[in-house]
């Protein structure tokens, strides 16, 4: 395994591994050199101070509001989920049966200090330090005790001021790694952000959370309203997605065409679906035109916004896969094609190696993008080159 060999070369022999690991990993390994790689657990901060910080943190309010969703995610994926402060001190955790015990043995618990100079390279520190979603896999961790872990973390921000409040991290054993792990961490971060009390940074906890709809449509289809997961059927999710993507509203005729195309479905059927949806979202759906009455955020708009700004790597990070796979809504099918082509063309024009590698996990048979990246890397000893060549070979 390349990561293990690079870790051994760096830690045991002091070799230069600049072109064998990701730049952010190497920077963190260098910072981590102040500790021993055989450290067995993270140091613990003062218990009373940690509890007091959590008690007065807006994150505590948000986690309480979405705790059921966080716990379900941990249990379904046998993960341990952690929330940290901006200094990467863990404030709250919840774990599935297996990971809970593993976490306790290394002080992956409230009070655990998981900055890289305390316990070595990990995703929590990278997400906090670089303010971007981060993954650390197996021997990319500096401390050998967590070489059998994979961690995905995403920063949590105050949605009004943009201030970073900490990170949410999902960790499990490396053999359970999944290509949507990082996307799931981003979704959890957005979920927590929507549940924050108003004036989070100022600490005003007496005001209710601003209402809002968060929809994940790329690779999966999940919806949260005011921090609560919505239980909708497929058609209701499609209607909600179309309204979320058309904030100006849609007439009955426009919505019917977007949902059903030329299918022989009556307007009455659509009206019934809209009525059920209106009830599910607490009446926050106007008529004439049909329009949502709450703030809306979707990962589709996030990806397109990042592409408009030329942030191709970040757009790939936010892209979880095809938009609502299997949908028979002509409007959503067309949008799915638009987003996929826009991302692909952006990568062909700007084939960032790490972004192409992440994209290839979602589109393993798109050899043209991989070939474009390899042409750019010709003659360079970049660590992703062997992985891209392997991906290319597997696709042929």
């Amino acid at each position: 395994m390349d990561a293990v060999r690079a870790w051994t070369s760096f830690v045991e022999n002091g070799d230069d591994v600049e072109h064998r690991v990701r730049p952010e990993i190497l920077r963190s390994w260098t910072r981590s050199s102040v500790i021993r790689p055989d450290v067995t657990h993270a140091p613990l901060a003062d218990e009373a101070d940690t509890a007091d910080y959590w008690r007065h943190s807006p994150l505590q309010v948000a986690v309480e509001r979405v705790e059921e969703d966080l716990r379900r995610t941990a249990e379904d994926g046998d993960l341990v989920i952690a929330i940290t402060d901006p200094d990467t001190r863990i404030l709250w955790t919840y774990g599935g049966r297996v990971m809970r015990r593993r976490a306790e043995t290394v002080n992956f618990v409230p009070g655990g200090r998981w900055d890289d100079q305390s316990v070595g390279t990990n995703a929590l520190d990278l997400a906090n330090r670089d303010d971007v979603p981060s993954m650390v896999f197996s021997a990319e961790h500096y401390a050998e005790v967590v070489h059998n872990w994979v961690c995905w973390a995403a920063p949590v921000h105050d949605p009004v001021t943009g201030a970073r409040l900490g990170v949410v991290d999902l960790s499990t054993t490396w053999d359970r790694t999944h290509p949507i792990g990082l996307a799931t961490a981003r979704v959890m971060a957005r979920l927590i952000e929507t549940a924050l009390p108003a004036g989070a940074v100022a600490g005003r906890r007496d005001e209710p959370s601003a209402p809002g709809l968060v929809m994940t449509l790329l690779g999966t289809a999940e919806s949260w309203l005011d921090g609560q997961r919505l239980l909708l059927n497929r058609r209701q999710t499609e209607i909600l997605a179309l309204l979320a993507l058309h904030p100006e509203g849609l007439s009955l005729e426009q919505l019917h065409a977007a949902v059903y195309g030329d299918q022989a479905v009556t307007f009455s059927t659509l009206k019934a679906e809209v009525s059920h949806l209106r009830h599910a979202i607490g009446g926050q759906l106007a008529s004439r035109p049909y329009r949502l009455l709450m703030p809306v955020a979707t990962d589709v708009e996030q990806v397109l916004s990042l592409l408009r700004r030329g942030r191709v790597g970040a757009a790939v990070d936010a892209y979880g896969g095809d938009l609502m796979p299997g949908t028979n809504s002509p409007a959503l099918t067309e949008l799915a094609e638009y987003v996929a082509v826009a991302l692909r063309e952006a990568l062909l024009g700007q084939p960032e190696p790490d972004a192409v590698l992440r994209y290839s996990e979602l589109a393993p048979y798109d050899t043209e993008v991989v070939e474009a990246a390899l042409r750019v890397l010709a003659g360079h000893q970049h660590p992703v080159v062997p992985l891209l060549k392997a991906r290319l070979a597997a696709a042929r």
Side-chain angles (χ1 to χ4, degrees):
M1 185 178 181
D2 289 341
V4 174
R5 287 194 291 268
W7 180 87
T8 301
S9 295
F10 181 86
V11 171
E12 296 185 1
N13 304 324
D15 294 343
D16 180 5
V17 294
E18 181 178 356
H19 300 295
R20 297 167 62 185
V21 295
R22 291 182 284 146
E24 64 269 30
I25 296 295
L26 181 56
R27 289 194 296 269
S28 181
W29 280 3
T30 302
R31 290 191 300 269
S32 302
S33 298
V34 298
I35 66 167
R36 292 174 57 89
D38 59 357
V39 60
T40 58
H41 54 270
L44 288 172
D46 181 79
E47 182 178 356
D49 181 64
T50 301
D52 183 68
Y53 186 99
W54 179 238
R55 187 164 54 251
H56 294 93
S57 169
L59 289 171
Q60 191 264 350
V61 178
V63 168
E64 279 188 355
R65 291 172 173 171
V66 300
E67 188 166 353
E68 182 180 348
D69 292 293
L70 295 174
R71 288 175 179 264
R72 186 185 304 120
T73 298
E75 291 166 357
D76 290 349
D78 199 10
L79 304 161
V80 59
I81 295 182
I83 308 295
T84 81
D85 67 6
D87 296 320
T88 324
R89 173 182 54 173
I90 293 179
L91 302 172
W92 178 92
T93 63
Y94 182 81
R97 181 178 55 84
V98 174
M99 285 306 298
R100 186 186 307 122
R101 292 197 298 270
R102 291 174 182 264
E104 290 170 352
T105 63
V106 295
N107 281 348
F108 198 84
V109 295
R113 289 167 41 201
W114 280 79
D115 58 285
D116 57 12
Q117 293 186 316
S118 292
V119 74
T121 304
N122 62 86
L124 298 82
D125 180 86
L126 288 181
N128 244 335
R129 186 180 297 273
D130 297 337
D131 201 23
V132 294
S134 301
M135 179 187 79
V136 174
F137 178 79
S138 184
E140 289 182 330
H141 291 92
Y142 187 79
E144 194 170 8
V145 70
V146 285
H147 275 192
N148 63 338
W149 286 38
V150 57
C151 305
W152 304 277
V156 177
H157 298 95
D158 179 274
V160 176
T161 68
R164 180 170 42 80
L165 304 178
V167 304
V168 57
D169 174 86
L170 286 65
S171 295
T172 188
T173 52
W174 69 267
D175 54 324
R176 289 185 174 89
T177 190
H178 197 283
I180 68 168
L182 199 59
T184 303
R186 286 193 298 268
V187 168
M188 293 295 102
R190 290 198 295 272
L191 177 63
I192 292 168
E193 288 170 350
T194 64
L196 285 166
V201 172
R204 296 197 307 269
R205 299 180 56 173
D206 55 337
E207 298 180 35
S209 174
L213 174 70
V214 177
M215 295 195 76
T216 302
L217 302 171
L218 299 171
T220 185
E222 294 180 337
S223 309
W224 293 269
L225 180 61
D226 300 344
Q228 299 297 314
R229 193 191 299 267
L230 294 174
L231 300 178
L232 306 174
N233 64 32
R234 179 77 173 190
R235 186 65 77 195
Q236 291 164 354
T237 300
E238 290 174 338
I239 294 170
L240 186 61
L242 288 163
L243 294 175
L245 295 165
H246 292 84
E248 73 284 359
L250 295 169
S251 68
L252 175 64
E253 294 76 13
Q254 289 172 324
L255 185 58
H256 187 279
V259 175
Y260 301 109
D262 57 4
Q263 295 180 56
V265 178
T266 66
F267 286 135
S268 296
T269 298
L270 175 58
K271 288 180 179 178
E273 291 283 13
V274 171
S275 178
H276 290 305
L277 176 61
R278 181 181 288 112
H279 176 74
I281 62 175
Q284 299 187 71
L285 198 170
S287 301
R288 299 194 181 100
Y290 290 123
R291 179 172 56 86
L292 296 176
L293 301 176
M294 78 287 278
V296 175
T298 72
D299 54 354
V300 176
E301 285 300 325
Q302 182 186 13
V303 168
L304 294 177
S305 175
L306 290 167
L307 289 177
R308 292 186 196 103
R309 288 179 279 155
R311 297 183 58 193
V312 179
V316 174
D317 280 340
Y319 183 76
D322 291 339
L323 190 154
M324 290 193 71
T327 182
N328 57 10
S329 157
L332 291 175
T333 300
E334 182 179 345
L335 180 60
E337 179 72 9
Y338 176 81
V339 176
V341 170
L343 186 72
R344 183 177 187 274
E345 290 299 316
L347 277 171
L348 286 171
Q350 191 176 321
E352 300 174 13
D354 289 322
V356 170
L357 184 61
R358 292 191 297 272
Y359 172 79
S360 71
E361 295 172 353
L362 299 168
Y365 298 104
D366 193 342
T367 57
E368 187 178 355
V369 173
V370 176
E371 288 169 344
L374 288 173
R375 283 195 296 272
V376 170
L377 294 171
H380 296 278
Q381 295 294 319
H382 197 285
V384 305
V385 168
L387 299 175
L388 290 174
K389 288 182 176 178
R391 182 67 72 186
L392 197 59
R396 288 174 170 169

